[in-house]
C-alpha cells in the first residue's frame, strides 16, 4: 500500500526540481542571449622560425565565423621574438592587411622580424634562447593557444579561452595562478594599490574628475606588474595598443577587450620589481630628468583674482616662514581664456613681468597653464597663425569645431609635424613677454564641452562593442573630439585619441628646450605609455575629502610603475572646502609626494598653507624635512632617469619576500629605505603602520627607533603637527639644510645620516649637478656622483665611513662640504670613542672637531661628528674607534 503522505512529498519535490531546472534553463537562455558567442578561435596553419632561433611566425586560420561585434579577420599572423634576453614580444595582426599600430616615430622600438630565410618549425612549437629565462610555446590545439613561461613558472596562458580578432573587437585572455598579485592598468582612482578581483578597468582618456573612483580617467596605461607570492618573483606585461579597451580582471584571469589596432604584447622577465622597471622603461623611454627647483613646494589655485593676489600669496608664505619654490596660475591670467594672452586689467603683461622678475631675484619660479583648444577668433593672432599653418584636427575636410573655456575652439593636431613648429613659436613669443619656468598642459584628453553626433556612414563614432566609458558605456564621442575626426596622414581620432596628451607633452617639452636652453618642466594631465619621457603628472581633479587623501597614495604609486615618477596629488584637495585638520594631515603627506603642490578650484575656500596656524606649523616641519632631503630626492630622480625605478615606491620593491607588503596602500617608500606612514583618518592621534624586518629610525627624532625582528604592525604616536617618517638600517642619506628656496638650501653644508646596519655595510649616494642642464650625467658634463659606504673593521671596534667620487670637479667647484656625520643604530661598544682618524679628504682644524656619543632607546648609540669640512668632491675615509687603538685625533690626508 502506497504511503499517501510520502507520495505527496515526492510530487512536491518533483515540482520543485522541475521549477529549479526550468529556471536554470531560462537563465542559461537569457545569459546566452545577453552574451552571444563573439568568436570561436583560430587554429595553427603553419609555423616558421628564423635560423637564429630568436623569432617565429605562425599563420592562424579562423575556425568558425561569428557576426557578433562584426566579422572576423580570417587569417592572422602571430610573431614571437626575443628583443632582449629579458623582453619577449608577441604580436598578432591581420596577415593580409596592415592595421593601425602606434608608429615607431612616436614610440621608438624594434621592428617586427621579417626574415625571408625562415624555415618550417617542427614540434615542439617553441621559442627559447640560451641567454633568456623566458620561453614561448604555441599549443597546437583547437582552438590554438600559447604560453609564456619563465623557468618553470607560467606567466601567461591563453588556453582555454578563444582568441577573437575582428576589425573593431579584439579579445585575448590569460589565466592567472592564486599566487599572482597584480598592480597597474590605469588611470583610475582606487582605494587599493593592488588590483582587486572582479572588476573592469576601462582605458579611454576622459575629462572625468579623479574624485570619482573606479572610472576611466585622464590617461591610459595597459601595463601591469605581477608579484608572485611567497618569494616576490616579479614580471611585467604590456599590451601596447592606443585604442579604447576594457580589461576584465577576475583574479584567476585577465581578459583584454579592445576596439581596434593589433595585439602587441611585451613580457618583461624581471625577476625583481626594480628590474621590471628597468626593462619596461628601456622599451617605452626613461623618465625625463626634472630640474632641481621642481622638487621644492608649489602653490596654485584656480581663481586668483589678479597679479596683486599672486604677490600677496608669495608674501604671506614668506611671512609665515613656509618654503615656497614655485607660484602657479591657472587660466585666470588669460584674456578671455585664450592661450598665450594676458587679461589686460587683472594680469597685464608689464605687471606680470615685474612679478616674475621679482620671483626670479628671490630664487623662485613661475609656471602657467596652457589648454590645447585655440579660440576661433579672427582677431586672435594664435588662431590665425594656426589656420595659416593648417595644423588643426579636421572632420569632413574642415577643422573640427569644439567648445572649451574660451568658447568655440579648434584643436592643434600634434601628429602633424607643422604643429610642433607652431607650438614652439607660440611658446617662444609668449616666453619673450613672460619668462615662465615651466608649462602646465591641461584638458588634453581631449576635453570638449560639447558632444558631436556620430557620423552615420561610419562605425568609428559608435563601435559595435561598447567599452565601459565613464562606468555606464557612455558613447566614446561624448565630451571629446569625435572618433571620425582626422589627424595628419589620415589617422583617425578613433585610433590616436589616447595619444593626444602624450603628443602635446612631447611638443611642449621640445619647445621649452628650444626656447630656454634649459631642462624643461612640463606637467600634463593626460598621459599614455611613455609619457614620463616628456612630462610630470598630477592625479587630477580630486576633492577635499579624507577618502581622496587616502586615494592619493595608490595614485602616485601607480604612476611610478607607469614610468612617470614625478607625480603628486592636489594637496588639501581641489574641489570642495577643505578643513583645517584635513589640510594639516594632507600637507604632512603631500610634503613627501615626488611633486608637491597645493591646488584648489574657483568655488572652494582658500587653502594656502598659511591660512591656519596649525597647518602652517605642520607645513614648516614636513617641508623642512623635505628640503633637508632634497639631495636624496634629486638623486632618486637621477636613478629614475637612468634606470626607470620610481621615486615613490610600494613597500614590496624593497621587501618582495614579505607578503604583507603586497596589500599595503596606506604607506610608501621614498627610494629604498625611507618609509612614510601618514594619518589618513579624521580625529586620529596615532597610526597603525607596518614595518618590515630591520631597525627603523625616526627622521624627525633620531633617538626614537623600532627594532623589528619580523615584519609587523606598530602603533605610532601621530600628534596633530607631525607625520611619521623613518629610515631603515643600511641607508646613508646625504642631506642639506632647511631654507625657503632650493637655491638657498643648496648653499648649505651637507650632513650624512648613516643608519648603521646590523647585517653589514650601510650605503648611499648623491648625484649633483647645476639642476638646469638639459643633459643629465652626460660624458664630460658638469656633474658629480658620490657613493658612501660605512661598516666595521678590526673585530667590530672600528667604524669606517668612506666615499668614492666620479667626476668630482663639479662638486669641488661648488665648494660643497660634509660638515656633519650622524651615525644611528650603533651598538653600546661605541658609547665611548677611543680614536678618530681621517685618512683622506681633510679640510679642517682639529681643534674645531666635535664628537658626541649618546645612548638612545632600544640600546642604540647615536654618534655625532661635527665641524668636519670634508670636501664632497674629494674622496675621503674616516675611521672611528671604540678603543684607544689610534690617537684620539689623527689626520693623514
Amino acid at each position: 500500500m502506497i504511503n499517501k503522505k510520502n507520495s505527496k512529498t515526492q510530487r512536491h519535490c518533483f515540482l520543485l526540481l522541475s521549477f529549479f531546472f526550468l529556471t536554470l534553463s531560462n537563465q542559461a537562455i537569457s545569459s546566452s542571449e545577453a552574451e552571444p558567442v563573439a568568436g570561436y578561435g583560430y587554429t595553427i596553419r603553419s609555423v616558421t622560425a628564423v635560423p637564429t632561433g630568436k623569432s617565429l611566425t605562425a599563420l592562424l586560420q579562423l575556425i568558425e565565423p561569428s557576426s557578433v561585434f562584426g566579422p572576423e579577420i580570417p587569417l592572422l599572423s602571430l610573431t614571437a621574438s626575443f628583443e632582449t634576453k629579458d623582453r619577449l614580444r608577441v604580436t598578432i595582426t591581420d596577415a593580409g592587411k596592415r592595421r593601425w599600430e602606434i608608429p615607431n616615430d612616436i614610440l621608438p622600438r624594434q621592428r617586427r622580424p621579417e626574415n625571408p630565410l625562415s624555415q618550417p618549425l617542427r614540434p615542439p612549437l617553441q621559442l627559447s634562447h640560451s641567454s633568456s629565462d623566458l620561453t614561448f610555446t604555441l599549443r597546437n590545439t583547437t582552438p590554438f593557444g600559447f604560453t609564456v613561461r619563465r623557468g618553470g613558472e607560467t606567466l601567461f596562458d591563453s588556453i582555454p579561452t578563444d582568441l577573437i580578432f575582428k576589425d573593431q573587437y579584439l579579445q585575448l585572455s590569460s589565466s592567472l595562478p592564486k599566487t599572482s598579485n597584480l598592480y597597474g592598468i590605469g588611470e583610475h582612482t582606487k582605494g587599493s594599490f593592488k588590483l582587486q578581483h572582479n572588476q573592469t578597468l576601462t582605458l579611454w582618456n576622459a575629462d572625468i574628475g579623479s574624485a570619482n573612483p573606479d572610472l576611466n580617467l585622464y590617461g591610459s596605461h595597459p601595463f601591469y606588474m605581477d608579484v608572485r607570492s611567497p618569494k616576490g618573483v616579479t614580471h611585467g606585461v604590456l599590451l601596447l595598443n592606443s585604442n579604447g579597451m576594457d580589461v576584465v580582471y577576475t583574479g584567476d584571469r585577465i581578459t583584454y577587450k579592445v576596439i581596434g589596432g593589433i595585439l602587441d604584447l611585451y613580457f618583461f622577465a624581471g625577476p625583481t620589481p626594480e628590474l621590471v622597471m628597468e626593462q619596461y622603461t628601456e622599451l617605452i623611454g626613461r623618465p625625463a630628468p626634472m630640474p632641481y627647483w621642481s622638487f621644492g613646494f608649489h602653490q596654485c589655485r584656480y581663481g586668483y583674482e589678479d597679479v596683486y593676489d599672486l604677490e600677496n600669496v608669495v608674501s604671506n608664505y614668506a611671512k609665515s616662514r613656509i618654503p615656497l619654490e614655485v607660484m602657479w596660475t591657472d587660466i585666470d591670467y588669460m584674456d578671455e581664456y585664450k592661450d598665450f594672452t594676458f587679461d589686460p586689467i587683472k594680469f597685464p603683461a608689464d605687471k606680470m613681468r615685474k612679478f616674475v622678475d621679482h620671483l626670479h631675484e628671490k630664487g623662485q619660479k613661475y609656471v602657467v597653464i596652457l589648454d590645447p583648444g585655440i579660440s576661433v577668433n579672427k582677431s586672435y593672432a594664435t588662431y590665425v597663425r594656426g589656420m595659416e599653418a593648417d595644423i588643426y584636427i579636421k572632420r569632413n575636410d574642415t577643422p573640427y569645431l569644439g567648445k572649451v573655456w574660451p568658447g568655440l575652439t579648434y584643436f592643434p593636431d600634434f601628429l602633424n609635424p607643422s604643429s610642433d613648429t607652431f607650438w614652439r613659436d607660440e611658446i617662444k613669443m609668449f616666453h619673450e613677454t613672460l619668462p615662465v619656468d615651466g608649462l602646465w598642459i591641461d584638458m588634453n584628453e581631449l576635453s570638449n564641452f560639447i558632444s558631436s553626433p556620430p557620423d552615420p556612414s561610419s562605425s568609428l563614432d559608435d563601435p559595435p562593442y561598447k567599452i565601459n566609458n565613464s562606468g555606464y558605456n557612455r558613447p566614446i564621442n561624448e565630451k571629446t573630439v569625435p572618433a571620425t575626426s582626422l589627424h595628419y596622414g589620415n589617422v583617425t581620432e578613433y585610433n590616436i585619441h589616447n595619444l593626444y596628451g602624450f603628443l602635446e607633452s612631447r611638443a611642449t617639452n621640445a619647445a621649452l628646450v628650444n626656447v630656454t636652453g634649459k631642462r624643461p618642466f612640463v606637467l600634463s594631465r593626460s598621459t599614455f605609455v611613455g609619457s614620463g619621457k616628456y612630462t610630470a603628472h598630477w592625479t587630477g581633479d580630486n576633492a577635499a575629502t579624507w577618502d581622496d587623501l587616502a586615494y592619493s597614495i595608490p595614485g602616485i604609486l601607480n604612476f611610478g610603475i607607469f614610468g612617470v615618477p614625478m607625480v603628486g596629488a592636489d594637496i588639501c584637495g581641489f574641489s570642495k572646502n577643505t578643513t583645517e585638520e584635513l589640510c594639516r594631515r594632507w600637507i604632512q603627506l603631500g610634503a613627501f609626494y615626488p611633486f608637491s603642490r597645493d591646488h584648489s578650484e574657483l568655488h572652494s575656500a582658500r587653502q594656502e598653507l598659511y591660512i591656519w596656524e596649525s597647518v602652517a606649523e605642520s607645513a614648516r616641519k614636513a617641508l623642512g624635512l623635505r628640503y633637508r632631503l632634497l639631495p636624496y630626492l634629486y638623486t632618486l630622480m637621477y636613478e629614475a632617469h637612468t634606470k626607470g625605478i620610481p621615486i615613490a615606491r610600494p613597500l614590496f620593491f624593497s621587501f618582495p619576500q614579505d607578503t604583507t607588503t603586497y596589500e599595503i596602500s596606506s604607506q610608501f617608500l621614498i627610494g629604498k629605505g625611507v618609509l612614510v606612514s601618514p594619518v589618513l583618518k579624521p580625529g586620529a592621534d596615532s597610526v597603525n603602520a607596518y614595518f618590515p624586518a630591520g631597525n627603523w629610525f625616526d627622521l624627525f627624532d633620531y633617538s626614537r627607533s623600532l627594532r623589528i625582528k619580523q615584519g609587523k604592525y606598530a602603533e605610532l604616536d601621530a600628534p596633530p603637527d607631525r607625520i611619521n617618517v623613518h629610515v631603515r638600517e643600511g641607508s646613508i642619506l646625504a642631506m642639506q639644510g632647511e631654507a625657503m628656496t632650493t637655491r638657498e638650501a643648496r648653499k648649505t653644508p651637507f650632513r650624512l645620516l648613516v643608519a648603521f646596519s646590523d647585517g653589514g655595510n650601510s650605503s648611499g649616494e648623491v648625484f649633483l649637478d647645476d639642476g638646469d642642464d638639459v643633459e643629465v650625467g652626460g660624458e664630460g658634463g658638469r656633474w658629480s656622483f658620490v657613493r658612501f659606504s660605512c661598516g666595521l673593521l678590526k673585530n667590530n671596534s672600528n667604524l669606517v665611513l668612506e666615499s668614492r667620487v666620479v667626476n668630482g670637479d663639479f662638486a669641488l667647484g661648488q665648494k660643497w662640504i660634509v660638515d656633519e656625520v650622524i651615525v644611528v643604530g650603533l651598538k653600546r661598544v661605541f658609547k665611548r670613542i677611543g680614536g678618530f682618524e681621517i685618512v683622506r679628504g681633510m679640510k679642517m682644524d682639529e681643534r674645531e672637531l666635535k664628537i658626541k656619543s649618546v645612548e638612545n632607546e632600544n640600546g642604540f648609540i647615536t654618534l655625532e661628528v661635527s665641524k668636519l669640512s670634508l670636501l664632497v668632491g674629494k674622496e675621503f675615509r674616516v675611521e672611528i674607534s671604540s678603543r684607544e687603538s689610534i690617537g684620539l685625533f689623527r689626520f693623514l690626508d
Side-chain angles (χ1 to χ4, degrees):
M1 185 174 179
I2 299 172
N3 186 311
K4 291 183 178 180
K5 185 176 180 180
N6 288 342
S7 176
K8 186 176 181 181
T9 301
Q10 289 171 352
R11 284 199 301 274
H12 284 166
C13 289
F14 175 77
L15 288 171
L16 285 170
L17 285 170
S18 298
F19 177 77
F20 175 72
F21 284 115
L22 181 62
T23 302
L24 282 180
S25 176
N26 287 337
Q27 286 179 343
I29 292 170
S30 175
S31 174
S32 175
E33 290 174 351
E35 297 182 12
V37 178
Y40 300 93
Y42 291 76
T43 58
I44 297 173
R45 192 163 95 174
S46 64
V47 183
T48 59
V50 298
T52 62
K54 288 190 175 181
S55 70
L56 66 77
T57 300
L59 287 179
L60 308 176
Q61 182 72 51
L62 181 67
I63 295 173
E64 181 181 341
S66 166
S67 61
V68 178
F69 305 137
E72 280 99 347
I73 293 172
L75 191 64
L76 302 178
S77 173
L78 179 152
T79 301
S81 59
F82 282 101
E83 297 199 329
T84 72
K85 66 182 183 64
D86 300 312
R87 186 172 81 226
L88 174 71
R89 183 181 185 185
V90 179
T91 305
I92 304 174
T93 188
D94 189 334
K97 187 172 69 173
R98 186 173 181 83
R99 290 178 59 83
W100 163 257
E101 57 184 291
I102 299 168
N104 265 31
D105 61 348
I106 292 178
L107 196 66
R109 57 203 187 277
Q110 294 183 21
R111 297 191 180 277
R112 293 197 299 277
E114 296 178 3
N115 196 319
L117 301 177
S118 296
Q119 300 172 349
L121 183 66
R122 297 177 180 177
L125 305 179
Q126 195 170 83
L127 184 69
S128 60
H129 198 268
S130 59
S131 65
S132 178
D133 293 331
L134 296 173
T135 304
F136 173 84
T137 303
L138 280 171
R139 309 273 282 277
N140 196 8
T141 54
T142 303
F144 101 105
F146 69 88
T147 60
V148 176
R149 296 172 66 86
R150 179 186 52 209
E153 185 173 36
T154 299
L155 308 186
F156 197 93
D157 187 352
S158 71
I159 287 180
T161 57
D162 304 333
L163 166 68
I164 301 171
F165 205 114
K166 301 166 185 278
D167 186 42
Q168 289 182 269
Y169 184 75
L170 288 62
Q171 181 176 310
L172 180 67
S173 182
S174 171
S175 59
L176 295 167
K178 292 181 179 179
T179 57
S180 177
N181 300 274
L182 262 57
Y183 307 85
I185 310 288
E187 176 182 13
H188 310 90
T189 295
K190 297 287 183 184
S192 168
F193 176 47
K194 177 183 170 182
L195 291 178
Q196 300 302 297
H197 298 178
N198 301 315
Q199 61 175 315
T200 297
L201 301 150
T202 300
L203 305 188
W204 181 254
N205 294 359
D207 181 1
I208 298 173
S210 56
N212 299 282
D214 302 321
L215 302 183
N216 52 299
L217 299 179
Y218 317 104
S220 291
H221 297 267
F223 169 77
Y224 70 81
M225 182 180 286
D226 188 347
V227 183
R228 298 283 172 90
S229 59
K231 295 184 178 180
V233 179
T234 304
H235 68 276
V237 179
L238 168 68
L239 173 60
L240 187 58
N241 183 298
S242 63
N243 291 88
M245 68 179 77
D246 286 336
V247 183
V248 181
Y249 175 57
T250 58
D252 62 348
R253 181 164 294 280
I254 186 167
T255 302
Y256 300 94
K257 299 181 177 183
V258 193
I259 61 172
I262 68 172
L263 296 173
D264 198 1
L265 289 159
Y266 290 85
F267 299 91
F268 307 94
T272 67
E274 290 92 341
L275 284 173
V276 169
M277 290 310 305
E278 288 194 47
Q279 295 154 10
Y280 180 50
T281 57
E282 181 184 24
L283 172 70
I284 68 170
R286 301 287 196 215
M290 294 289 146
Y292 200 95
W293 58 261
S294 66
F295 287 93
F297 178 71
H298 305 243
Q299 177 62 50
C300 185
R301 175 176 171 80
Y302 171 31
Y304 283 132
E305 295 177 1
D306 51 33
V307 66
Y308 304 109
D309 198 358
L310 302 181
E311 290 171 346
N312 285 334
V313 171
V314 174
S315 175
N316 286 332
Y317 268 97
K319 290 175 184 176
S320 300
R321 302 301 299 166
I322 301 171
L324 176 63
E325 185 75 15
V326 190
M327 193 65 200
W328 293 55
T329 309
D330 209 311
I331 58 176
D332 313 285
Y333 79 91
M334 299 177 183
D335 180 16
E336 297 181 334
Y337 304 136
K338 299 192 295 290
D339 281 349
F340 310 112
T341 66
F342 299 92
D343 184 314
I345 306 301
K346 296 180 178 180
F347 297 90
D350 59 337
K351 291 182 179 178
M352 288 293 287
R353 178 64 183 249
K354 289 180 182 178
F355 168 67
V356 172
D357 287 346
H358 186 64
L359 285 177
H360 290 165
E361 288 170 8
K362 290 181 172 290
Q364 295 170 300
K365 307 294 181 181
Y366 186 60
V367 174
V368 296
I369 195 170
L370 291 175
D371 290 336
I374 302 298
S375 175
V376 176
N377 184 332
K378 291 182 180 179
S379 65
Y380 174 35
T382 296
Y383 160 78
V384 173
R385 287 188 288 267
M387 289 297 293
E388 291 170 350
D390 192 23
I391 50 85
Y392 297 119
I393 296 171
K394 292 183 171 61
R395 195 185 194 206
N396 299 325
D397 297 323
T398 61
Y400 169 73
L401 187 64
K403 186 177 182 180
V404 205
W405 296 113
L408 297 177
T409 53
Y410 290 160
F411 300 97
D413 172 13
F414 288 103
L415 195 61
N416 187 335
S418 297
S419 280
D420 290 352
T421 303
F422 162 78
W423 199 243
R424 180 200 66 206
D425 291 346
E426 296 303 312
I427 290 172
K428 182 178 180 181
M429 286 184 284
F430 181 75
H431 193 270
E432 288 170 351
T433 303
L434 191 70
V436 297
D437 300 284
L439 289 172
W440 169 24
I441 50 177
D442 194 16
M443 308 288 287
N444 51 354
E445 292 74 31
L446 277 162
S447 177
N448 189 359
F449 292 171
I450 61 174
S451 300
S452 299
D455 182 342
S457 67
S458 171
S459 62
L460 295 183
D461 289 331
D462 187 22
Y465 175 77
K466 315 302 180 192
I467 58 173
N468 195 33
N469 186 22
S470 195
Y472 63 93
N473 305 110
R474 184 175 83 171
I476 61 172
N477 268 15
E478 282 201 16
K479 304 298 182 182
T480 190
V481 172
T484 46
S485 301
L486 289 179
H487 293 252
Y488 181 80
N490 288 326
V491 175
T492 63
E493 172 70 12
Y494 184 85
N495 287 327
I496 208 165
H497 171 84
N498 286 339
L499 283 164
Y500 191 89
F502 172 100
L503 293 169
E504 188 190 17
S505 298
R506 184 178 69 171
T508 307
N509 183 293
L512 284 174
V513 172
N514 180 276
V515 170
T516 69
K518 296 180 179 180
R519 192 178 310 167
F521 178 80
V522 180
L523 183 75
S524 176
R525 190 168 75 174
S526 183
T527 60
F528 185 70
V529 173
S531 280
K533 186 177 179 180
Y534 306 107
T535 186
H537 176 67
W538 89 107
T539 60
D541 295 347
N542 62 7
T545 73
W546 289 91
D547 283 343
D548 284 78
L549 171 66
Y551 294 153
S552 72
I553 296 176
I556 65 169
L557 294 179
N558 264 312
F559 270 87
I561 67 171
F562 294 154
V564 190
M566 191 61 164
V567 59
D570 284 344
I571 293 170
C572 298
F574 176 70
S575 65
K576 301 185 178 181
N577 292 331
T578 195
T579 66
E580 181 176 356
E581 182 189 11
L582 176 59
C583 198
R584 185 174 67 240
R585 290 303 191 187
W586 210 321
I587 183 54
Q588 291 169 10
L589 168 58
F592 301 99
Y593 296 152
F595 170 62
S596 183
R597 183 185 70 161
D598 180 322
H599 182 39
S600 58
E601 62 102 0
L602 178 68
H603 302 293
S604 64
R606 298 287 283 254
Q607 62 184 40
E608 288 82 7
L609 301 181
Y610 52 76
I611 298 289
W612 299 278
E613 179 51 37
S614 72
V615 177
E617 180 60 25
S618 287
R620 285 188 285 267
K621 289 183 179 180
L623 290 172
L625 179 55
R626 179 187 181 90
Y627 275 59
R628 294 197 299 274
L629 289 170
L630 281 171
Y632 180 63
L633 288 167
Y634 191 70
T635 300
L636 292 174
M637 179 283 296
Y638 174 72
E639 184 179 26
H641 173 59
T642 54
K643 296 181 179 179
I645 302 172
I647 297 170
R649 307 173 188 176
L651 274 66
F652 65 73
F653 264 57
S654 290
F655 307 97
Q657 296 187 19
D658 183 342
T659 56
T660 303
T661 65
Y662 302 173
E663 308 292 335
I664 292 176
S665 302
S666 57
Q667 299 168 265
F668 61 96
L669 291 168
I670 305 173
K672 288 184 177 180
V674 174
L675 178 62
V676 181
S677 306
V679 171
L680 301 174
K681 295 180 180 179
D685 58 8
S686 65
V687 62
N688 192 30
Y690 185 77
F691 286 86
N695 299 326
W696 296 84
F697 302 90
D698 189 331
L699 277 177
F700 288 101
D701 182 352
Y702 303 153
S703 69
R704 297 166 61 90
S705 61
L706 295 96
R707 190 190 292 269
I708 307 293
K709 292 184 178 179
Q710 186 174 358
K712 68 174 186 179
Y713 281 90
E715 194 74 19
L716 305 174
D717 289 337
D721 65 340
R722 70 187 296 269
I723 184 175
N724 281 279
V725 184
H726 291 79
V727 62
R728 188 179 185 271
E729 64 171 283
S731 304
I732 299 180
L733 303 181
M735 306 167 73
Q736 284 180 284
E738 295 181 29
M740 298 296 287
T741 64
T742 62
R743 185 176 74 181
E744 293 306 307
R746 299 199 83 187
K747 295 176 182 178
T748 62
F750 278 83
R751 167 194 289 178
L752 295 185
L753 176 63
V754 181
F756 186 75
S757 173
D758 283 345
N761 286 340
S762 299
S763 63
E765 54 196 31
V766 64
F767 175 79
L768 303 162
D769 67 1
D770 72 352
D772 256 345
D773 280 351
V774 173
E775 186 178 15
V776 175
E779 193 170 331
R782 298 184 299 162
W783 57 271
S784 297
F785 188 80
V786 186
R787 288 188 174 90
F788 306 101
S789 61
C790 184
L792 292 175
L793 295 176
K794 299 180 181 178
N795 298 320
N796 294 333
S797 64
N798 282 29
L799 182 75
V800 175
L801 172 67
E802 59 185 346
S803 70
R804 291 288 181 266
V805 179
V806 179
N807 215 36
D809 287 347
F810 176 76
L812 289 172
Q814 301 298 311
K815 299 181 181 178
W816 280 314
I817 61 167
V818 175
D819 184 60
E820 184 178 26
V821 172
I822 298 178
V823 186
V824 297
L826 289 169
K827 295 180 179 179
R828 283 193 175 94
V829 67
F830 282 93
K831 190 172 182 179
R832 182 177 181 278
I833 303 302
F836 183 94
E837 179 178 83
I838 297 181
V839 178
R840 59 179 181 270
M842 183 184 69
K843 187 201 171 189
M844 83 287 289
D845 184 335
E846 66 178 271
R847 292 170 297 180
E848 296 180 356
L849 192 67
K850 293 183 180 180
I851 302 179
K852 183 171 71 171
S853 179
V854 179
E855 185 171 359
N856 302 310
E857 61 181 46
N858 289 320
F860 291 124
I861 300 296
T862 296
L863 181 66
E864 299 179 11
V865 185
S866 57
K867 303 291 184 181
L868 275 168
S869 296
L870 297 168
L871 288 167
V872 173
K874 186 176 181 181
E875 293 185 347
F876 63 78
R877 176 184 170 90
V878 175
E879 190 169 333
I880 304 170
S881 177
S882 61
R883 302 175 183 177
E884 294 185 8
S885 56
I886 57 179
L888 183 58
F889 299 111
R890 192 152 66 126
F891 307 101
L892 304 177
D893 191 50

